[in-house]
Amino acid sequence: MISRMIHHTTRRAGLLIGAVVLIPFMLVVGLGIHSYLALADLHKKEQLDNAATEARLLQTLLSEQLNDLARSHQAQVRHALLQSDFSELNLVMNNSSSVHLITVYGDEGLLYPYPGLALPYTNATLLNEVKTDIRAAHHPLHNQLQDHLNNRLSDIWLPVTTSIGPAYLYCWAHQPRTTVCTLSRADAVYDWVWNNSELSILRQRFHIDDSFNHQAAIPEHSMQVQFSYKTLGLIITPLFKPEPQNTASDRWLLLAMILPLLGLSCAIGYVVYRHYKVQVSRAETLLSCTQDIAHELRTPLGNINLYVGLMLRSGVQSDKDRYQVIVDNEMQRISQIIDNATALMRGTPTDPWEYLAPASHLQSLNQQYQRLLQSSGCQLVLDTSDTQSHWYPKNAVEHVLLNLLDNARKYAPGDLITLGSATREDELIFWVHNQQHLTTAPLPAPSSGLGLGLQTCKRLATQFNGRLEVTITPSGREYRLCLPLLTREPPSPC
């Protein structure tokens, strides 16, 4: 119950600390993203403003180039019309690379080419196509040319589709009540218009479609912002290519936001992983303690069972009293095991170090477990001459020795078991030696690993900075528990 309350309290505290750390960080990240988007919008607006300025400059330069082309057409036609019979217009059409057809309109209709004039097949075809467009009342060309005949417009450029491909019909008022139109291929018009160094450089920043292919897809890097040059029916789309310095700034800003978030994710992941490892360690410790307790209780319980049976069968009171003392000692040992386990689970383990003489300790173990070993044919003898007292973990040493004695009882029946202790330099050594002399049965082959009891012994030895050594000889085995001598003042006498 107490451990569960501690666990829930720790979890709530961890969640609260995580929220306190996470909320301000998320606010900072949110502000950073908002600032990044605001800077991106500002940069986009700046690009749009620059694109609008460059588009106006492009339109101005296009108008200048187109005016030059218009003046060239007018000059050629004006020189040819000095003759009142329009005879020179045919020479203009034959000699000019940009003019493919010339028509003249007056109040009475078409003045040139007049009926009966012999024209090449191409020019005749173009004339019929233009006349058909002009006569079509629903065509915009009809109304615009009517306005020219009434002298309400100066000049116009109209895109038309002819047998020679896309073309432009350029019309202007030559004299009062007279309109002249020249037909030029679109390629010739574009060659003239774009023949300008400043326009060539500026054109690279735009994608330009004419009215003949206005359904073309909007190119990549475009923000779907378009301008138009109505004179030629051009659609101008800016190309927004990212500048290297702006791209680098965006990347650094994005990196500056991602790295803290990645760091926080790593920190949270580390905390979760650490909590997981702590829980796994606690579970392993609890399982190990449970196994150790179960294993440690078997020896005193077996000893109690043995001496209770001897008490019931013995008729000598002195023997019963001696057996009763052994049973009481075993019950106290069981109680000590349970108390130690409870203190460990509560997180308040007792001090394992006790100040006593190893000789008297081993003598007590010999009295308690000699009869139990004799039941399997083993003979237990002591080998200790060290009567001085030392600081060492009594319960841990007793746990290891009893495990070794119990293994000897089960796996080496009939052997001579020597239980001893000694000091060597800065170490206190306990050993259990199995000597095969009471039976001719061969020793069992050594195991490739450690059983549960020996694993516990090895873990206890490591816990107190010691070690468990095993020596195997043809006549037996010897297990040595080596512990460092603890330099501590002896306890004061009561």
Side-chain angles (χ1 to χ4, degrees):
M1 182 66 180
I2 295 177
S3 61
R4 187 177 301 175
M5 291 177 60
I6 294 174
H7 172 70
H8 290 312
T9 303
T10 305
R11 185 173 61 180
R12 284 193 293 268
L15 292 175
L16 180 60
I17 294 175
V20 170
V21 173
L22 184 61
I23 290 175
F25 179 81
M26 294 305 296
L27 290 176
V28 172
V29 172
L31 290 175
I33 294 175
H34 176 73
S35 301
Y36 172 76
L37 295 177
L39 288 175
D41 291 340
L42 183 62
H43 179 63
K44 181 178 179 181
K45 183 178 179 181
E46 182 180 358
Q47 285 185 318
L48 291 176
D49 293 341
N50 293 337
T53 302
E54 292 178 347
R56 287 192 295 268
L57 178 60
L58 179 68
Q59 292 170 342
T60 301
L61 295 176
L62 283 175
S63 298
E64 293 178 358
Q65 289 293 103
L66 196 61
N67 289 337
D68 290 342
L69 179 61
R71 285 192 291 270
S72 174
H73 286 192
Q74 292 179 17
Q76 295 180 58
V77 173
R78 187 183 302 110
H79 178 73
L81 288 179
L82 292 177
Q83 303 293 331
S84 58
D85 57 355
F86 308 114
S87 59
E88 298 293 329
L89 292 179
N90 194 30
L91 294 176
V92 174
M93 290 186 292
N94 293 332
N95 297 331
S96 176
S97 60
S98 60
V99 177
H100 298 277
L101 179 66
I102 300 176
T103 57
V104 182
Y105 299 90
D107 291 339
E108 297 82 7
L110 182 65
L111 301 180
Y112 179 85
Y114 45 82
L117 179 65
L119 292 174
Y121 175 77
T122 301
N123 291 359
T125 302
L126 292 176
L127 178 62
N128 290 331
E129 291 173 347
V130 172
K131 288 168 62 177
T132 301
D133 287 337
I134 294 174
R135 292 194 187 102
H138 64 275
H139 198 281
L141 184 59
H142 176 80
N143 296 329
Q144 296 188 33
L145 285 179
Q146 290 299 322
D147 292 336
H148 272 277
L149 293 176
N150 296 329
N151 293 326
R152 290 198 295 267
L153 292 176
S154 58
D155 57 355
I156 57 172
W157 288 84
L158 297 175
V160 292
T161 302
T162 65
S163 58
I164 61 173
Y168 283 98
L169 186 65
Y170 171 57
C171 301
W172 74 92
H174 175 63
Q175 292 178 354
R177 319 299 296 178
T178 302
T179 298
V180 179
C181 295
T182 59
L183 184 68
S184 304
R185 285 175 55 90
D187 294 342
V189 175
Y190 295 154
D191 291 341
W192 182 287
V193 168
W194 297 116
N195 188 22
N196 180 282
S197 58
E198 191 173 357
L199 263 178
S200 299
I201 296 175
L202 196 60
R203 183 184 180 185
Q204 297 176 1
R205 305 176 187 177
F206 295 90
H207 180 80
I208 299 176
D209 292 322
D210 55 31
S211 58
F212 307 105
N213 59 347
H214 63 278
Q215 299 295 332
I218 296 178
E220 191 178 358
H221 305 304
S222 171
M223 293 185 183
Q224 299 185 357
V225 178
Q226 295 180 338
F227 305 93
S228 63
Y229 183 64
K230 296 182 179 180
T231 305
L232 292 181
L234 300 181
I235 300 173
I236 302 171
T237 305
L239 297 178
F240 296 101
K241 296 182 180 179
E243 301 178 2
Q245 62 271 19
N246 294 332
T247 303
S249 301
D250 293 343
R251 289 175 180 173
W252 278 112
L253 180 59
L254 187 61
L255 189 63
M257 290 189 300
I258 290 178
L259 284 181
L261 185 60
L262 182 62
L264 179 63
S265 301
C266 293
I268 294 176
Y270 172 74
V271 171
V272 172
Y273 175 75
R274 184 178 179 183
H275 179 72
Y276 164 76
K277 294 295 291 184
V278 169
Q279 295 302 321
V280 170
S281 177
R282 288 178 179 175
E284 291 177 350
T285 302
L286 182 60
L287 179 61
S288 176
C289 289
T290 304
Q291 293 175 344
D292 291 347
I293 293 171
H295 193 271
E296 194 170 351
L297 288 176
R298 288 191 305 173
T299 301
L301 288 176
N303 215 14
I304 290 174
N305 182 52
L306 172 64
Y307 283 102
V308 168
L310 292 175
M311 289 173 60
L312 295 177
R313 291 192 298 270
S314 176
V316 181
Q317 186 62 35
S318 60
D319 291 341
K320 289 185 177 182
D321 294 339
R322 183 164 56 88
Y323 299 154
Q324 180 65 40
V325 171
I326 295 176
V327 171
D328 291 341
N329 291 336
E330 293 298 328
M331 293 299 296
Q332 291 178 4
R333 183 165 180 265
I334 291 176
S335 178
Q336 184 65 35
I337 292 173
I338 296 175
D339 291 341
N340 291 339
T342 304
L344 181 62
M345 292 180 181
R346 289 178 178 177
T348 56
T350 58
D351 186 6
W353 301 92
E354 297 186 30
Y355 188 75
L356 70 160
S360 61
H361 186 197
L362 297 186
Q363 181 66 34
S364 174
L365 294 179
N366 178 44
Q367 294 176 358
Q368 295 183 43
Y369 294 98
Q370 188 176 32
R371 184 63 63 90
L372 182 62
L373 290 170
Q374 288 177 355
S375 64
S376 64
C378 296
Q379 180 181 351
L380 179 61
V381 297
L382 290 178
D383 180 15
T384 178
S385 58
D386 187 6
T387 59
Q388 296 182 355
S389 297
H390 303 281
W391 286 100
Y392 66 92
K394 174 188 174 184
N395 292 330
V397 171
E398 191 169 308
H399 188 165
V400 172
L401 296 179
L402 292 184
N403 268 319
L404 297 176
L405 293 176
D406 190 59
N407 287 342
R409 178 183 63 84
K410 292 186 292 185
Y411 304 117
D415 282 9
L416 174 64
I417 310 301
T418 304
L419 179 63
S421 68
T423 55
R424 184 177 59 190
E425 296 179 355
D426 57 349
E427 286 186 327
L428 177 61
I429 303 174
F430 297 89
W431 68 82
V432 174
H433 181 74
N434 307 342
Q435 184 177 359
Q436 184 184 5
H437 79 296
L438 299 179
T439 178
T440 58
L443 287 171
S447 161
S448 59
L450 296 176
L452 179 61
L454 292 182
Q455 285 181 352
T456 303
C457 296
K458 187 175 181 180
R459 184 170 61 252
L460 286 173
T462 305
Q463 179 181 347
F464 294 99
N465 298 323
R467 64 188 184 279
L468 182 66
E469 298 177 349
V470 181
T471 302
I472 300 178
T473 63
S475 61
R477 301 180 187 179
E478 182 174 292
Y479 298 87
R480 291 184 299 275
L481 173 63
C482 304
L483 296 173
L485 286 173
L486 184 65
T487 57
R488 183 189 294 183
E489 293 295 328
S492 57
C494 299

